């Protein structure tokens, strides 16, 4: 009989989230079930129930995990862009890739369609944390206008929409596939230029 390595609760949770993220990217949100994740990591269904409570809890934790990882990367890219070491397009690509290639758009839609009404809570709270971290760098007049919040709202909505229907919509409008990314980049460049003037 082969004995399994005893994992700490953090290691077990982290392993499950990594497996859930892989399933999401490989197969889609409908594949992110307790049974599929437990099979992938060689743990029991009961073990995952202990950590997440339900498939809905697992999906919510996965959404939070993806949002946190992406926001940390975006935060670094925004700081680099403001310091002249990165570009607005890098920030846009990170956001759009999170919703498209990383599966956050499909997961969000799936959770909402299956009745998980608070599906966006972890993503929204993580974005709020990102804004709180970026806000001290904002000029006073931008804070009053909530410019950073408006830019974030636009970027997230564009990235989510692009992940869900961007390809088909761009094709039907006879536009390049990255047309939405180009628009988001132009918006962010204008905002960064305004930030640098202040």
């Amino acid at each position: 009989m082969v004995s399994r390595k005893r994992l700490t609760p953090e290691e077990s949770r982290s392993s499950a989230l990594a497996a859930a993220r892989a399933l999401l990217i490989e197969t889609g949100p409908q594949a992110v079930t307790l049974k599929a994740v437990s099979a992938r990591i060689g743990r029991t269904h009961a073990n995952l129930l202990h950590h997440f409570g339900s498939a809905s809890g697992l999906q919510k934790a996965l959404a939070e995990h993806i949002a946190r990882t992406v926001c940390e990367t975006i935060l670094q890219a925004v700081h680099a862009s403001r310091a002249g070491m990165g570009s607005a397009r890098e920030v846009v690509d990170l956001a759009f890739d999170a919703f498209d290639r990383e599966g956050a758009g499909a997961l969000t839609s799936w959770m909402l369609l299956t009745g998980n009404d608070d599906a966006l809570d972890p993503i929204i709270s993580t974005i709020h944390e990102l804004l709180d971290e970026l806000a001290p760098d904002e000029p006073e007049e931008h804070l009053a206008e909530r410019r950073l919040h408006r830019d974030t709202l636009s970027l997230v909505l564009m990235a989510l929409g692009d992940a869900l229907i961007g390809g088909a919509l761009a094709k039907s409008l006879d536009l390049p596939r990255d047309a939405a990314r180009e628009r988001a980049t132009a918006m962010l460049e204008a905002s960064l230029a305004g930030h640098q003037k202040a």
Side-chain angles (χ1 to χ4, degrees):
M1 183 172 174
V2 178
S3 63
R4 286 187 295 197
K5 179 187 174 211
R6 190 158 182 78
L7 300 175
T8 67
E10 294 80 23
E11 289 172 330
S12 185
R13 190 174 166 81
S14 178
S15 173
L17 288 173
R21 190 169 186 174
L23 284 166
L24 173 66
I25 293 167
E26 292 166 14
T27 315
Q30 70 284 356
V32 182
T33 65
L34 292 173
K35 182 178 179 182
V37 172
S38 63
R40 182 161 283 207
I41 63 173
R43 298 288 164 186
T44 64
H45 187 270
N47 179 273
L48 290 186
L49 273 176
H50 170 73
H51 289 292
F52 301 104
S54 64
S56 173
L58 171 64
Q59 291 171 350
K60 194 170 179 179
L62 177 59
E64 181 176 12
H65 173 69
I66 291 171
R68 190 160 307 284
T69 303
V70 168
C71 282
E72 286 169 8
T73 307
I74 290 173
L75 177 65
Q76 292 170 2
V78 167
H79 284 308
S81 182
R82 285 180 174 175
M85 296 180 292
S87 70
R89 180 58 186 247
E90 288 173 309
V91 175
V92 167
D93 284 341
L94 288 168
F96 274 62
D97 288 347
F99 283 96
D100 189 10
R101 277 188 258 176
E102 297 296 320
L107 179 63
T108 299
S109 298
W110 177 259
M111 291 170 71
L112 291 171
L113 287 170
T114 56
N116 196 348
D117 294 337
D118 57 356
L120 292 177
D121 289 353
I123 295 171
I124 291 168
S125 66
T126 304
I127 290 170
H128 273 293
E129 290 171 23
L130 171 68
L131 291 173
D132 289 343
E133 209 162 326
L134 289 170
D137 294 339
E138 285 294 290
E140 199 62 41
E141 63 274 14
H142 289 198
L143 286 173
E145 297 170 13
R146 300 182 67 81
R147 192 177 295 185
L148 181 62
H149 293 77
R150 292 175 192 277
D151 289 347
T152 303
L153 174 68
S154 297
L155 184 58
V156 169
L157 288 175
M158 290 175 83
L160 177 59
D162 188 69
L164 299 178
I165 62 167
L169 188 56
K171 184 177 180 181
S172 73
L173 295 172
D174 198 28
L175 291 170
R177 177 61 186 96
D178 69 342
R181 290 184 189 228
E182 290 293 334
R183 297 285 293 173
T185 300
M187 175 199 73
L188 202 52
E189 284 172 345
S191 180
L192 286 168
H195 179 274
Q196 289 163 352
K197 285 178 191 170

